[in-house]
Amino acid sequence: MAIPVLTHTDRGLYCPAGDFHIDPWRPVDRALITHGHADHARPGHGAYLATHTALPVMRHRLGDITADGISFGETRRIGDATVSFHPAGHVPGSAQIRVEVAGEVWVVSGDYKTDRDALSEPFEPVSCHSFITECTFGLPVFKWPDPSHVAEEINAWWRTNAADGRIAVLGAYSLGKAQRLLAAVDAEIGPILTHGAVEATNRVMRGQGIPLPDTIPVTPDTNPKDHPGALVLAPPSALGTPWMRRFGPVSTGFASGWMGLRGVRRRRAADRGFVMSDHADWDGLNSAIRETGASRVFVTHGYTAIFRRWLEEQGYDAHVLETEFEGETLDAGEEDA
Amino acid sequence: MKRFAALFTALDQTTKTTAKVTALAEYFTDAPKPDRLWTIALLSGRRPKRTVTTTALREWAAERAGIPLWLFEESYPIVGDLAETIALVLPPPSATSDRSLTDWIGDIRALATADEPARKAAILAAWDALPTSERFVFNKLITGGFRMGVSRKLMTRALAKATGVDEPALAHRLMGDWTPDSTTFDDLIHTPDPTANLSRPYPFYLAYQLDDGPDVLGDPADWAAEFKWDGIRGQLIRRGGAHHLWSRGEDLMTDRFPELAAALDFLPDGTVLDGEVLAWTDNAPLPFAALQKRIGRKTVPKKLLAEAPVILQAYDLLEDGGTDIRERPFAHRRARLEALLAGIPQNAPFRASPLLPFDTWDALAETRATARAEGAEGVMLKRRDAPYRDGRKKGDWWKWKLDPLVIDAVMIYAQSGHGRRANLFTDFTFAVWSGNDLVPFTKAYSGLTDAEFREITAWVRKNTLERFGPVRRVTPEHVFEIAFEGIQASTRHKSGIALRFPRMSRWRHDKPVQEANTLSDLQAMLETYG
């Protein structure tokens, strides 16, 4: 093998044959973007390429960008490389990017999950020689419960609060998790109020035809008494801030893969933690990697050193790739993942 | 076990006291009685003896999960709890079980006499019959350290709510050396016979910290003062021709301090003293370090007995001539205590903690300033007309401690915490300068806010120089003020000193690392206060 299909540079993953970067973290001329989260879709690139479904949110967040859309499965020739985008199941429009140069196939997973949700295009394994995978939850202690059970838990919590006359505030990332929750909860229980950051994404997604239940944006004039039994969806960074005060005594919940760990759940000091992630769990990562048929695997963000060693013992040619992706973060204040 | 696991989950899901009490009270009303009894036992620290080693549990769990042991070991510190790590890595159960908490505890205890293959088979079968939350509880029963975020006081309140028995009576009934084998739920809770257990202690009354000085307490004449001794709080029971010594944590310490068997000779039957166990020679207390050598020993070698003999410095009398006098005012109990101890020989290991005379708060402040020289930590204030209460009830007993000693030190090692603090760096080693070298002299774990712990954690991740297992050596850059209560020479520490109750009192962002204190500063403190 002469020049590798993708190389690692200080700007991000680079394809010499096609002269483009994938999810670069410094400005470049041409960027292929897996999805709209801030650590993957950064401002300042000359030209963007992303799926038609991912683009509206990116335009909303990045402003006036030069961008081109592509359909899932559509192939495009860039220089000497052939690229195509395939569903990653992370958020609506999120893609894995397949790059083929002279018969050699590499796939960049971006962020992905193998569980299905109501909105995201389901993850599709793509055969390749080399697979660049995230491993945010690459430890055998992370195993997601059935999402429908988690939805039931959230509904039960909301229902109890509604019956007790308390507002339920659920923290969830404003792009992806919030909409997934909107589609999963039982909107019959009560009205759903949204923080501005969540509602902005809702508006974009509704505009592109993604079906979401009705929501009521919270404004300075919002009086909680007008919305008895409400569920409030807000980014995690809003929990515990003065913004919350208007709702009076509330029950707080937080939906994240990290809520699978009791210590983290207790440290977050939310009343309830719901185990729901937009990333693959241990079994999901392992099955996704297996199904690509790849012999070489690069792990990017997450428990990289541990997961690499595990993969090597499973017979893969496994490497760690240092990137600036963040995965699902533990800290409040971090908005995207 | 479902019912108990549900209780555990309910307690775990809330930080609100009322919700916890409600969940517990419901449990104490509707759970099977043997389970209620075991739950009281677990919540008051009476867990079954460990019958399986954690090493074996780790190996079996990794094997069952189909992962190498190293991967299990890497996962454990990230989860921060062994029982939970095991519960999480195991595959879903293939069977179900309706066995009760008491049944499972019976199974676990029976493993004590089983051989290794039988133990393994039993544990694997249990894991395969329990869903994750019950598995976690089951593992906790084996590994111990059962912390459910429920204090004894909270449990007693819930039990009172469920049974209608009042709280102080319940608190008393739950004391002592009962086990679920020696009693039943009904006997423990509903039998109001104090003689049922002659060794049973009274609930300890605890003092609150007086932060802003005693002016708020009103007329000094209403208060009695004594030094706050730095020993082990103990309750000495002399009843039915025997004696028992209880710690505040309800450990029976009778055999550790054989000197106090003199109670049989010098104290009348039907006497209960509350006081401080102190290592004592030449009419003065020895530093806590001397007593510490005694604490770990179940049987005491003669040499140690001679080096660090103990006494009970008594400050209260709870039972007098077989009568519970806790409701009588402090002044009365104190007078009776003095009368009781007046007649016994000087060399008997019982003394009354001297009252400190004072007319004004300023006069007491002056006495307090001499506490360290007396081997004390400050002064105690007790309201003269107050009864002996139980637990932490604010208002009648105050501790007015000396300001701690402080030193500015450099952080050089960091280690992550456990449980709630896993994923955060919370355990640090600090050093002082000796020439151009940094000499480690203490560890500290507490004193920072959650936000500060998060900040230092992010910093440690970016500034790790070297790793030794879970410990990271970090760039010497941050200075912290370390507060502590006492300082002693120590041959076990490289620096030659050991601190009492060290904690981080301030993050000295303002102080460059070169300006941290030196080893000679510490040695000077040792000279003055050691």
Side-chain angles (χ1 to χ4, degrees):
Chain A
M1 189 172 63
I3 305 166
V5 172
L6 293 170
T7 64
H8 181 253
T9 74
D10 59 358
R11 291 172 182 274
L13 290 169
Y14 176 66
C15 174
D19 189 23
F20 60 81
H21 288 78
I22 296 176
D23 291 355
W25 44 83
R26 307 267 182 285
V28 300
D29 290 342
R30 184 198 280 267
L32 276 57
I33 304 293
T34 58
H35 65 287
H37 279 149
D39 54 327
H40 292 263
R42 294 175 193 255
H45 306 311
Y48 291 77
L49 178 65
T51 65
H52 292 299
T53 324
L55 267 183
V57 167
M58 283 171 53
R59 287 189 193 281
H60 166 71
R61 297 185 151 206
L62 300 175
D64 187 19
I65 54 171
T66 305
D68 196 3
I70 185 169
S71 301
F72 283 115
E74 177 189 342
T75 56
R76 198 167 289 192
R77 188 88 182 163
I78 305 177
D80 290 330
T82 306
V83 302
S84 54
F85 286 55
H86 305 270
H90 176 58
V91 297
S94 70
Q96 311 170 70
I97 300 178
R98 179 186 186 274
V99 184
E100 179 174 349
V101 176
E104 174 88 7
V105 180
W106 288 45
V107 169
V108 178
S109 77
D111 292 336
Y112 66 99
K113 79 164 180 291
T114 51
D115 277 347
R116 296 195 171 209
D117 69 59
L119 303 179
S120 308
E121 304 82 359
F123 176 87
E124 281 176 17
V126 181
S127 294
C128 58
H129 301 103
S130 295
F131 186 46
I132 300 180
T133 179
E134 62 136 324
C135 60
T136 306
F137 293 108
L139 288 180
V141 293
F142 294 111
K143 293 175 190 167
W144 306 150
D146 183 335
S148 62
H149 287 172
V150 180
E152 279 170 30
E153 277 177 29
I154 296 173
N155 285 330
W157 165 71
W158 180 11
R159 223 175 261 123
T160 306
N161 283 306
D164 294 348
R166 219 175 13 237
I167 286 190
V169 182
L170 187 52
Y173 296 120
S174 57
L175 165 54
K177 186 76 64 64
Q179 292 74 30
R180 181 182 173 190
L181 285 164
L182 274 175
V185 297
D186 179 1
E188 298 296 311
I189 299 172
I192 302 173
L193 273 55
T194 47
H195 182 276
V198 173
E199 191 55 28
T201 313
N202 288 353
R203 211 172 293 127
V204 173
M205 288 197 179
R206 284 195 187 102
Q208 63 190 105
I210 294 174
L212 295 175
D214 291 338
T215 52
I216 304 163
V218 174
T219 66
D221 303 326
T222 301
N223 182 352
K225 293 207 171 58
D226 298 339
H227 310 284
L231 174 73
V232 179
L233 274 177
S237 52
L239 262 58
T241 65
W243 182 82
M244 295 265 293
R245 280 189 209 133
R246 70 191 76 204
F247 303 114
V250 297
S251 179
T252 52
F254 184 57
S256 161
W258 293 106
M259 295 298 108
L261 300 186
R262 181 167 175 253
V264 178
R265 206 159 59 227
R266 290 155 64 88
R267 185 148 58 80
R268 276 217 62 106
D271 296 313
R272 291 292 302 274
F274 301 103
V275 185
M276 182 184 274
S277 178
D278 291 332
H279 295 261
D281 67 359
W282 172 256
D283 292 332
L285 288 171
N286 279 287
S287 70
I289 291 166
R290 203 164 42 240
E291 287 177 26
T292 62
S295 56
R296 180 154 42 157
V297 180
F298 296 87
V299 295
T300 58
H301 48 306
Y303 292 102
T304 49
I306 299 171
F307 197 57
R308 188 209 68 79
R309 181 174 167 196
W310 158 257
L311 289 175
E312 188 173 72
E313 289 187 4
Q314 304 307 301
Y316 294 97
D317 177 15
H319 306 268
V320 173
L321 210 56
E322 295 293 338
T323 65
E324 295 184 16
F325 305 135
E326 288 168 355
E328 186 165 324
T329 56
L330 261 168
D331 304 309
E334 297 283 351
E335 165 54 353
D336 271 336
Chain B
M1 188 86 119
K2 281 186 180 42
R3 183 69 186 88
F4 184 70
L7 169 68
F8 188 90
T9 305
L11 295 173
D12 212 33
Q13 279 175 354
T14 182
T15 49
K16 297 186 177 72
T17 308
T18 49
K20 286 185 181 188
V21 170
T22 305
L24 272 166
E26 277 172 16
Y27 181 87
F28 287 132
T29 309
D30 66 23
K33 281 186 178 172
D35 285 10
R36 294 184 214 170
L37 183 64
W38 262 113
T39 301
I40 296 168
L42 292 169
L43 287 174
S44 57
R46 295 171 172 83
R47 65 179 185 83
K49 276 212 177 70
R50 185 176 290 184
T51 54
V52 185
T53 65
T54 57
T55 314
L57 289 174
R58 292 164 194 230
E59 283 168 5
W60 300 340
E63 185 188 318
R64 183 73 187 84
I67 57 172
L69 188 59
W70 70 261
L71 182 53
F72 181 91
E73 298 295 350
E74 290 278 5
S75 302
Y76 169 30
I78 291 161
V79 176
D81 183 289
L82 184 64
E84 187 186 356
T85 310
I86 294 172
L88 291 173
V89 300
L90 294 170
S94 67
T96 55
S97 163
D98 284 327
R99 295 170 65 69
S100 71
L101 172 68
T102 307
D103 293 339
W104 282 114
I105 291 174
D107 285 6
I108 291 168
R109 296 168 88 200
L111 295 179
T113 54
D115 60 13
E116 195 77 353
R119 282 181 189 172
K120 182 174 177 181
I123 296 290
L124 289 180
W127 284 341
D128 197 38
L130 297 169
T132 307
S133 65
E134 289 176 58
R135 234 184 227 166
F136 170 61
V137 168
F138 173 80
N139 292 339
K140 277 285 182 201
L141 292 174
I142 303 178
T143 58
F146 222 120
R147 294 177 62 153
M148 297 174 56
V150 175
S151 66
R152 174 180 287 244
K153 187 173 172 179
L154 211 72
M155 172 182 74
T156 312
R157 193 186 307 167
L159 209 47
K161 193 173 167 188
T163 61
V165 180
D166 78 344
E167 260 185 82
L170 269 178
H172 190 198
R173 285 174 207 176
L174 298 184
M175 303 287 287
D177 63 353
W178 64 270
T179 70
D181 298 324
S182 69
T183 185
T184 66
F185 180 78
D186 287 328
D187 283 350
L188 184 70
I189 302 304
H190 296 295
T191 311
D193 179 8
T195 63
N197 192 337
L198 287 173
S199 70
R200 178 178 289 165
Y202 294 102
F204 285 82
Y205 183 35
L206 307 175
Y208 268 85
Q209 172 82 26
L210 190 61
D211 286 321
D212 301 323
D215 290 340
V216 294
L217 299 182
D219 188 350
D222 293 341
W223 295 85
E226 48 191 283
F227 280 124
K228 182 183 184 311
W229 302 105
D230 186 18
I232 306 168
R233 181 89 180 264
Q235 192 178 130
L236 185 85
I237 313 241
R238 164 85 169 91
R239 283 185 199 131
H243 82 291
H244 299 274
L245 181 69
W246 292 95
S247 77
R248 189 156 87 67
E250 262 187 86
D251 281 323
L252 201 49
M253 315 186 287
T254 318
D255 296 337
R256 286 169 203 223
F257 302 109
E259 294 96 326
L260 303 185
L264 297 171
D265 302 328
F266 300 118
L267 300 175
D269 213 59
T271 301
V272 177
L273 299 176
D274 181 16
E276 198 87 359
V277 177
L278 294 168
W280 186 274
T281 53
D282 301 330
N283 241 359
L286 292 170
F288 187 80
L291 186 62
Q292 201 154 32
K293 290 183 191 155
R294 295 282 307 264
I295 295 172
R297 317 286 301 233
K298 286 220 160 150
T299 53
V300 196
K302 276 211 175 88
K303 185 164 172 280
L304 195 53
L305 214 48
E307 276 173 14
V310 304
I311 65 156
L312 183 76
Q313 178 109 295
Y315 33 66
D316 216 320
L317 181 67
L318 312 185
E319 192 171 307
D320 185 17
T323 306
D324 175 357
I325 59 164
R326 291 177 297 158
E327 285 302 318
R328 307 296 302 274
F330 174 77
H332 169 83
R333 300 195 312 272
R334 174 76 202 188
R336 287 294 308 141
L337 175 71
E338 286 174 12
L340 191 72
L341 296 180
I344 68 172
Q346 279 289 313
N347 61 353
F350 305 101
R351 301 163 46 95
S353 176
L355 289 184
L356 303 171
F358 67 102
D359 298 328
T360 64
W361 293 125
D362 284 346
L364 184 62
E366 274 175 39
T367 311
R368 168 176 171 265
T370 69
R372 211 164 251 136
E374 298 288 333
E377 299 178 296
V379 297
M380 295 293 305
L381 284 160
K382 297 176 181 175
R383 193 190 290 277
R384 288 184 189 275
D385 64 1
Y388 187 92
R389 302 182 186 274
D390 67 279
R392 221 179 260 284
K393 292 215 172 63
K394 215 165 187 161
D396 292 336
W397 280 23
W398 296 96
K399 47 187 176 189
W400 188 24
K401 288 171 54 159
L402 288 174
D403 293 333
L405 300 167
V406 295
I407 192 149
D408 289 329
V410 183
M411 177 195 293
I412 55 169
Y413 299 112
Q415 191 173 352
S416 55
H418 280 270
R420 199 177 83 91
R421 312 211 299 181
N423 293 311
L424 279 183
F425 285 94
T426 59
D427 301 4
F428 306 108
T429 302
F430 294 93
V432 283
W433 291 107
S434 173
N436 289 325
D437 297 330
L438 281 166
V439 182
F441 70 101
T442 191
K443 285 186 167 196
Y445 316 89
S446 61
L448 299 186
T449 63
D450 281 359
E452 284 174 322
F453 275 128
R454 277 200 295 275
E455 186 183 347
I456 197 71
T457 294
W459 181 86
V460 167
R461 291 212 175 101
K462 291 193 190 94
N463 292 277
T464 299
L465 301 174
E466 231 180 322
R467 295 183 191 210
F468 316 93
V471 179
R472 295 175 180 223
R473 184 165 72 85
V474 297
T475 318
E477 183 180 313
H478 287 292
V479 177
F480 288 81
E481 180 184 87
I482 305 296
F484 52 98
E485 300 301 323
I487 182 166
Q488 286 299 312
S490 165
T491 49
R492 284 168 52 197
H493 297 81
K494 202 176 182 176
S495 60
I497 61 122
L499 304 185
R500 181 117 167 94
F501 292 137
R503 69 263 180 195
M504 294 166 271
S505 49
R506 209 146 51 103
W507 187 344
R508 299 292 310 257
H509 288 287
D510 56 317
K511 203 153 213 191
V513 70
Q514 296 78 12
E515 291 176 22
N517 281 104
T518 64
L519 188 57
S520 41
D521 295 337
L522 267 181
Q523 283 157 348
M525 288 171 114
L526 178 63
E527 195 70 20
T528 314
Y529 303 111

